[in-house]
Amino acid sequence: MKNKSVVTEAREIQIAIELINLGARLQVLQEETKLSRERLLKLYKEVKGESPSKGMLPYSTDWFMSWLPNIHSSLFMDIYQYLSKHTSVTGVEALIKSYRLYLEQIEISQGEPELSITRAWFLIRFFEANMLELTVCTECGGHFVTHTDELTKDYVCGICRPPSRAGKTKKAALLEAIAG
């Protein structure tokens, strides 16, 4: 690796720091930067003050299909595709900007982010591999994440027709008990 550019390396470090601050797993950092694993480990510990999480990454398209994750994933993917089509932002920068916009929207609605940056990164990969796609809801016209081979002629999203247990989380039950 002779003739290594200091500016290029600084940009790689900046991208890694941004991803670390957003909660990205080490494997994502390795894929999105050209920095060595050892360098990324040291950088992660310096930025977060702790070692990165260990274990396998969450590799499954099914996670994106359940009610709340689907709504959050669809919001993120709509933002990502809009930025990709209408701006010059691409690659890891599109991921970072889209994820930040997603977090802003969740904060405005006073909700909790359901989608981690690592899952958002996987979501993009699943779209690139044609495993997932956005499908238009026949009732509201919104675009929602579905499996590519799914029958979607009369698709209705989870917002228009939420499942019977939607929103019945432990947190919601606790808040209801406190208020009630």
Side-chain angles (χ1 to χ4, degrees):
M1 291 200 157
K2 295 178 184 177
N3 300 330
K4 201 176 199 180
S5 168
V6 175
V7 174
T8 302
E9 186 176 18
R11 182 67 191 131
E12 294 280 320
I13 291 170
Q14 184 59 40
I15 288 169
I17 290 170
E18 289 182 61
L19 288 169
I20 291 167
N21 283 327
L22 289 171
R25 299 273 299 268
L26 186 62
Q27 294 91 328
V28 174
L29 302 174
Q30 288 178 280
E31 286 293 319
E32 294 299 333
T33 68
K34 293 180 178 82
L35 300 172
S36 69
R37 179 177 171 79
E38 293 76 27
R39 189 96 185 256
L40 288 170
L41 280 167
K42 187 176 179 182
L43 186 61
Y44 195 99
K45 287 177 186 175
E46 188 174 331
V47 171
K48 285 285 193 179
E50 61 188 26
S51 295
S53 299
K54 293 186 172 135
M56 304 231 350
L57 291 178
Y59 185 83
S60 173
T61 58
D62 292 338
W63 183 87
F64 300 100
M65 297 303 121
S66 59
W67 180 69
L68 195 55
N70 186 267
I71 293 168
H72 283 251
S73 301
S74 300
L75 172 62
F76 170 80
M77 209 58 210
D78 282 334
I79 294 168
Y80 179 82
Q81 287 190 347
Y82 183 86
L83 281 179
S84 296
K85 288 177 186 171
H86 299 288
T87 69
S88 60
V89 179
T90 60
V92 69
E93 290 181 19
L95 167 66
I96 292 168
K97 288 183 187 301
S98 299
Y99 192 72
R100 284 197 174 128
L101 286 169
Y102 159 75
L103 291 176
E104 283 179 26
Q105 291 304 307
I106 299 305
E107 186 178 313
I108 288 168
S109 67
Q110 299 177 346
E112 293 292 321
E114 189 73 17
L115 187 69
S116 69
I117 186 87
T118 300
R119 286 204 192 268
W121 180 79
F122 262 112
L123 181 62
I124 293 167
R125 298 298 162 282
F126 290 146
F127 269 77
E128 289 172 349
N130 293 319
M131 295 169 74
L132 296 174
E133 64 185 4
L134 288 176
T135 299
V136 177
C137 173
T138 56
E139 290 189 17
C140 69
H143 296 85
F144 292 85
V145 175
T146 58
H147 286 108
T148 300
D149 296 331
E150 193 172 312
L151 298 174
T152 57
K153 181 177 173 253
D154 297 317
Y155 178 78
V156 178
C157 71
I159 295 174
C160 293
R161 274 199 212 142
S164 60
R165 299 282 305 153
K168 306 258 191 309
T169 62
K170 289 180 184 177
K171 182 180 175 183
L174 179 63
L175 291 173
E176 191 175 303
I178 292 169

